[in-house]
Amino acid sequence: MRFDLKSFQFVDTGVAPDALAVAAADRNLTWAQLRSEAVAWADEARGNGAAPDVPVAIYGHKEASFFVAMVGALLIGAPFVPVDTIYPAERLRRIVEIVRAAAVYDAASGTFSAGEGAELAERGLAYVMFTSGSTGDPKGVQIGRESVGLLGDWMLGSFGLGDAPVFMNQAPFSFDLSMYEVFATLASGGACVLNAREQIAAAGTWMPRLAGHGVTVWVSTPSFAHQQLANRDFSPATLPALRTFLFCGEPLPSALAKKLRQRFPGAVILNTYGPTEATVATTWIEVTDAVLAAHDPLPVGHAKPDSVLIVDEGEICIVGDHVMRGYLNRPDLNEAKLYTYADGRRAFRTGDLGQMEAGGLLFCRGRMDDQIKLNGYRIELAEIDEALHGLPGVEGGACAVLRRPDGTAVRLIGFVAGAGDASEDARFLAPDALAGWKERLAQRLPPYMVPSELVACPTLPMSNNHKIDRKKLVEIYAGIPA
Ligand code: AMP
């Protein structure tokens, strides 16, 4: 059995109904169970206000019911809004308010709580994915049903995943990387092994669990795979069925690719690139020994078949029906980032610097703005600035990024101005000043966006164009006496 991403229905329902569809943190589902639970969920969701083009938020972390709810929403035509429990309650509340969801489905308890419920102006969306926004609020990326159909076609047609692939899923469902596994599982009739944070942390049992389900495709950010190298069970001996590494979300360091080639000589490594705004990914390349010998840094590959790539004054622009329908209620941003290409299709200015070689091989050269990736998480620094500014008694807030020599972001440092007794020199906050700042920020921001230290300055340094001078902040930090 599988789920067709054009008709959004279960098809081939008589074929292997007892095959595994979802292995979740709490329970497993066969395809027959996934189907009957998704149909039942859709009925219940309708009773709670979900309807075509009326979104429903799904809140949880890797429960089987989270997966069921996403499929149920696709059956109804209600755009789903995935929110992982890594997001604090305040962020969930804001997201539900912005999207005017009919209901919030709590996947852990299996219950609905009512929301406002309004039809979206955009018709036929599959999901709305919220990413960090530079105004201080997360922004909703609206992905059409046509876009996920194209994603499924591309993955099954180009990635060589074999029949009934079994995916390792760990990225939170509020991160669009995870949509790779969701839609490829549905389109192929394969299986998705969902891994909760606690399961991953139990290193001794986690890899054997993946082996037990016969995982064939590993999907993660490079950072996540890098962390696993320390685990000796992360090997072909423990994971004999694993034949593909599918990476996306941040640069793939060639050193990591080389280590994986050594440890898993029989596996294919795919580097893929793309923003949430273009439905998970747009380019791909198999990182072979020849590619590793020819390039460092690695290329991000060629455009997928239904997409056109342009590098316009250094900026990567993506054209195709997999480009989002726009940010929800953000005409200002849509005006700046979206345009119509010569062939009439949607086009998106990514904000990524790119370089294209003859033959269309693309290299990503970093960002043009203040968006960063920290351990694979996408962060707009301005959103953290806003949250810092919201601390009591603070006149201004800004965030700086500490990086490794290769440019990888490793830590966030918060700066506040006007916080009480900050002297002429920047200094670490006294323990009693702004006590509880981390907890306050964590009410609004997910943990990966909370700076690890806070520094008080009399004023925040500005650059010539009246923007926060983040380089200067890093210098201030480096100059703080030990
Ligand atoms: P997200 O929307 O979270 O997928 O983040 C998208 C951004 O991550 C892109 O605009 C790039 O800046 C970066 N990114 C994603 N994949 C890659 C990759 N393979 N190599 C380099 N940067 C990447």
Side-chain angles (χ1 to χ4, degrees):
M1 197 184 315
R2 61 192 177 85
F3 187 84
D4 181 60
L5 297 179
K6 301 283 160 37
S7 62
F8 290 89
Q9 294 297 325
F10 285 90
V11 294
D12 302 335
T13 51
V15 179
D18 297 327
L20 179 72
V22 179
D26 51 346
R27 64 201 170 98
N28 299 340
L29 298 172
T30 64
W31 273 89
Q33 288 168 329
L34 175 62
R35 181 179 176 217
S36 69
E37 289 203 20
V39 169
W41 187 93
D43 278 345
E44 209 185 333
R46 276 192 204 94
N48 283 278
D53 306 314
V54 181
V56 55
I58 308 171
Y59 182 70
H61 180 63
K62 303 299 173 200
E63 303 84 357
S65 298
F66 202 121
F67 201 100
V68 166
M70 290 190 282
V71 181
L74 291 171
L75 282 172
I76 300 173
F80 66 81
V81 185
V83 184
D84 190 271
T85 55
I86 197 169
Y87 283 180
E90 172 56 20
R91 199 173 183 85
L92 169 67
R93 191 196 61 74
R94 249 327 260 154
I95 287 172
V96 171
E97 191 173 79
I98 294 170
V99 81
R100 299 167 78 195
V104 181
Y105 174 70
D106 183 328
S109 64
T111 54
F112 288 85
S113 50
E116 185 184 348
E119 267 188 17
L120 293 173
E122 282 296 330
R123 301 293 145 138
L125 297 181
Y127 61 86
V128 183
M129 184 72 68
F130 277 81
T131 73
S132 178
S134 54
T135 57
D137 253 344
K139 57 181 188 262
V141 175
Q142 305 180 99
I143 298 294
R145 283 157 84 90
E146 67 286 0
S147 304
V148 301
L150 290 170
L151 178 70
D153 291 348
W154 178 43
M155 293 186 73
L156 300 196
S158 303
F159 286 8
L161 301 178
D163 293 336
V166 182
F167 295 92
M168 190 290 287
N169 162 275
Q170 64 67 223
F173 286 130
S174 46
F175 179 9
D176 90 320
L177 172 64
S178 64
M179 294 298 123
Y180 254 155
E181 303 91 283
V182 171
F183 289 108
T185 299
L186 293 176
S188 66
C192 196
V193 182
L194 315 186
N195 298 283
R197 283 181 276 276
E198 313 79 68
Q199 290 175 302
I200 295 168
T205 52
W206 184 48
M207 294 290 167
R209 172 171 190 257
L210 299 183
H213 290 301
V215 163
T216 63
V217 187
W218 176 284
V219 188
S220 78
T221 58
S223 310
F224 184 81
H226 185 261
Q227 286 166 10
Q228 306 315 314
L229 285 172
N231 184 344
R232 282 177 49 200
D233 280 340
F234 184 51
S235 69
T238 306
L239 303 169
L242 182 57
R243 55 172 179 261
T244 308
F245 286 94
L246 175 50
F247 290 122
C248 193
E250 62 182 0
L252 172 62
S254 58
L256 172 63
K258 283 179 188 154
K259 281 184 191 148
L260 288 173
R261 296 280 304 145
Q262 277 169 8
R263 197 176 289 193
F264 293 88
V268 166
I269 300 174
L270 298 175
N271 186 21
T272 70
Y273 151 86
T276 303
E277 288 84 341
T279 319
V280 189
T282 298
T283 72
W284 95 114
I285 185 167
E286 182 180 340
V287 182
T288 58
D289 291 337
V291 169
L292 281 166
H295 305 286
D296 190 8
L298 293 170
V300 295
H302 292 89
K304 70 193 187 98
D306 53 286
S307 182
V308 176
L309 279 178
I310 301 157
V311 177
D312 179 18
E313 295 186 7
E315 182 176 18
I316 301 173
C317 302
I318 299 173
V319 179
D321 291 335
H322 66 302
V323 166
M324 66 167 174
R325 305 271 202 86
Y327 297 109
L328 181 63
N329 299 338
R330 291 300 306 273
D332 53 332
L333 271 183
N334 293 335
E335 172 88 8
K337 304 289 279 181
L338 289 175
Y339 65 98
T340 305
Y341 186 56
D343 64 3
R345 289 188 296 168
R346 299 189 287 272
F348 175 65
R349 294 180 224 280
T350 61
D352 287 316
L353 290 165
Q355 194 182 327
M356 191 133 39
E357 275 192 359
L361 187 64
L362 185 72
F363 291 79
C364 194
R365 303 286 192 216
R367 294 288 305 173
M368 302 167 66
D369 56 15
D370 279 342
Q371 180 185 305
I372 65 150
K373 281 290 173 110
L374 182 63
N375 294 322
Y377 291 109
R378 172 169 160 173
I379 298 172
E380 290 284 355
L381 296 179
E383 191 173 353
I384 304 177
D385 298 348
E386 276 289 314
L388 288 164
H389 194 172
L391 290 171
V394 160
E395 282 163 17
C399 178
V401 185
L402 303 188
R403 296 179 184 271
R404 283 200 207 109
D406 69 359
T408 308
V410 286
R411 269 176 81 202
L412 299 171
I413 308 294
F415 289 78
V416 288
D421 59 351
S423 64
E424 276 306 301
D425 298 324
R427 58 183 186 76
F428 294 101
L429 279 184
D432 55 340
L434 280 181
W437 63 271
K438 268 196 185 180
E439 291 72 18
R440 276 180 189 272
L441 292 180
Q443 284 168 9
R444 177 167 169 184
L445 300 174
Y448 58 84
M449 287 176 73
V450 176
S452 42
E453 286 176 75
L454 193 63
V455 176
C457 332
T459 53
L460 295 173
M462 294 287 171
S463 61
N464 292 341
N465 59 3
H466 303 291
K467 283 177 151 185
I468 296 284
D469 188 341
R470 297 190 197 274
K471 273 197 190 140
K472 183 84 185 149
L473 288 177
V474 173
E475 283 169 28
I476 292 174
Y477 184 73
I480 292 174

